Amino acid sequence: MYPPAEPMGTEVFARLPESLHLTQQHSSWLAARHVKMHSFLEGPSFDRAGNLWCVDLAHGRILRVDPAGNFEVIVSYEGEPNGLKIHRDGRIFVADHLHGLMLLDPESRSIRPYLQHVQREGLKGLNDLFFASNGDLYFTDQGESALENPTGRVFRLRADGKTVDLLMDGLAGPNGLVMNKAENVLYVAITHDNAIYALRLEPGGQMKKASRFIQLSGSTAGPDGMALDCAGNLAVVHAQAGTVWLFSPLGEPLYRIRSCAGMRSTNVAFGGDDMRSLYITEAEQGVILRARLPHPGKPMYSHMD
């Protein structure tokens, strides 16, 4: 349908040191998947000081990586952190599969529940989150949804910190999410449909006429994390394919960014002095990869004045 995407390579920016490998520690998350891993990196986000924050889903850790690539454990707790995004006031929000939406205080190095119920109903298991420029927080409630159990949901927590809107349910594994440049379309990775959905938003915020924007093929998983550049191009991690695709605003494949270390790429974030470097968490080897892209990333809410 389209010409082949131009290949693009990556380099290792940072590697989780062996001193932080938890090879002998029990993890219910790993046990449920019948695998053994020393970590499972996800959720990269940059703060204003240039530090890259990420999570270790397998062992309940929040990590900070300085600009030189040095890892530090900020918080370790009994949880399953997945997505992570930073508010412009410095607060750090974490999507946790067990505990819902969590709030991390980077100064005190403490984490606590922020949102665990919606209209008296418990959340199924959060996966990822995204801040709009007005402070609204969009998040996916994936739970154990799949093609045979399409019960995943997409919510929005308004900037007032109280009002929660259900945008869409009946989804087979809603995962990463990001908005287009105009912020009138919310892209959602639907892992078990191997697709990216476009949720069109009315001026008042209501969702109307969702559609399948991109249909992927291959991999034993599906799309995971996403990010947008200033030209409106969409970076999509294809989990267990060792690939990040860069699609045009029309959904045309432009680049195939291949992992140089492992096949389990999970999530992406733009960073660097000129914001043209795409940082990729890779869970198989516990590394963060980096690739240079033609356009800078769209500024995140954490960097807005």
Side-chain angles (χ1 to χ4, degrees):
M1 185 178 297
Y2 295 110
E6 184 177 340
M8 181 180 292
T10 56
E11 63 177 357
V12 174
F13 160 68
R15 185 180 298 273
L16 188 72
E18 289 189 13
S19 61
L20 296 181
H21 289 187
L22 299 181
T23 54
Q24 304 301 320
Q25 182 169 310
H26 172 75
S27 164
S28 58
W29 186 87
L30 291 173
R33 288 153 181 80
H34 310 291
V35 296
K36 291 185 177 181
M37 301 177 71
H38 57 65
S39 63
F40 196 98
L41 301 184
E42 276 264 25
S45 290
F46 280 93
D47 64 22
R48 292 191 178 217
N51 298 304
L52 178 62
W53 292 73
C54 63
V55 306
D56 172 13
L57 171 58
H59 298 291
R61 295 185 290 179
I62 310 296
L63 308 168
R64 184 173 62 193
V65 188
D66 68 21
N70 301 303
F71 280 82
E72 180 183 6
V73 177
I74 302 300
V75 172
S76 180
Y77 71 108
E78 293 293 328
E80 295 179 2
N82 205 322
L84 183 152
K85 289 294 185 293
I86 304 175
H87 195 280
R88 68 180 181 184
D89 64 12
R91 291 180 297 164
I92 297 176
F93 287 79
V94 177
D96 186 292
H97 185 85
L98 293 180
H99 305 301
L101 185 62
M102 305 287 284
L103 183 61
L104 169 66
D105 182 341
E107 297 299 324
S108 65
R109 300 192 176 205
S110 60
I111 190 166
R112 63 175 177 84
Y114 186 83
L115 179 72
Q116 295 180 297
H117 302 85
V118 174
Q119 295 180 353
R120 299 175 59 85
E121 179 180 275
L123 296 165
K124 299 175 183 296
L126 299 196
N127 185 284
D128 210 347
L129 61 171
F130 173 81
F131 275 110
S133 61
N134 66 352
D136 287 349
L137 180 61
Y138 294 80
F139 59 93
T140 48
D141 189 23
Q142 183 184 96
E144 299 301 322
S145 59
L147 276 178
E148 74 280 9
N149 179 34
T151 55
R153 304 177 291 186
V154 178
F155 287 102
R156 174 180 54 221
L157 174 63
R158 299 276 186 166
D160 61 15
K162 300 177 182 178
T163 308
V164 181
D165 307 311
L166 173 62
L167 297 182
M168 189 172 181
D169 60 7
L171 298 171
N175 198 317
L177 66 175
V178 70
M179 302 189 87
N180 68 342
K181 286 184 65 176
E183 296 197 347
N184 57 9
V185 174
L186 179 69
Y187 298 123
V188 183
I190 310 297
T191 298
H192 299 299
D193 192 30
N194 215 2
I196 307 300
Y197 288 7
L199 280 57
R200 290 169 174 80
L201 303 177
E202 297 287 285
Q206 303 88 346
M207 195 281 290
K208 184 177 182 181
K209 294 186 176 180
S211 62
R212 185 178 284 106
F213 178 56
I214 295 169
Q215 181 67 66
L216 300 173
S217 63
S219 104
T220 56
D224 197 328
M226 297 189 291
L228 197 80
D229 72 18
C230 283
N233 301 314
L234 182 65
V236 177
V237 174
H238 207 178
Q240 297 187 24
T243 293
V244 178
W245 299 98
L246 189 70
F247 293 98
S248 78
L250 298 178
E252 305 159 307
L254 302 176
Y255 292 94
R256 183 177 186 177
I257 306 167
R258 292 183 178 270
S259 168
C260 64
M263 297 291 286
R264 301 189 72 150
S265 305
T266 55
N267 220 313
V268 287
F270 281 95
D273 292 339
D274 59 3
M275 290 292 290
R276 284 182 52 206
S277 292
L278 186 70
Y279 292 78
I280 307 161
T281 45
E282 199 290 313
E284 182 178 335
Q285 295 190 18
V287 299
I288 297 173
L289 308 177
R290 179 170 57 189
R292 292 287 292 168
L293 269 62
H295 301 284
K298 184 177 181 290
M300 297 298 289
Y301 185 63
S302 57
H303 288 66
M304 294 180 181
D305 294 323

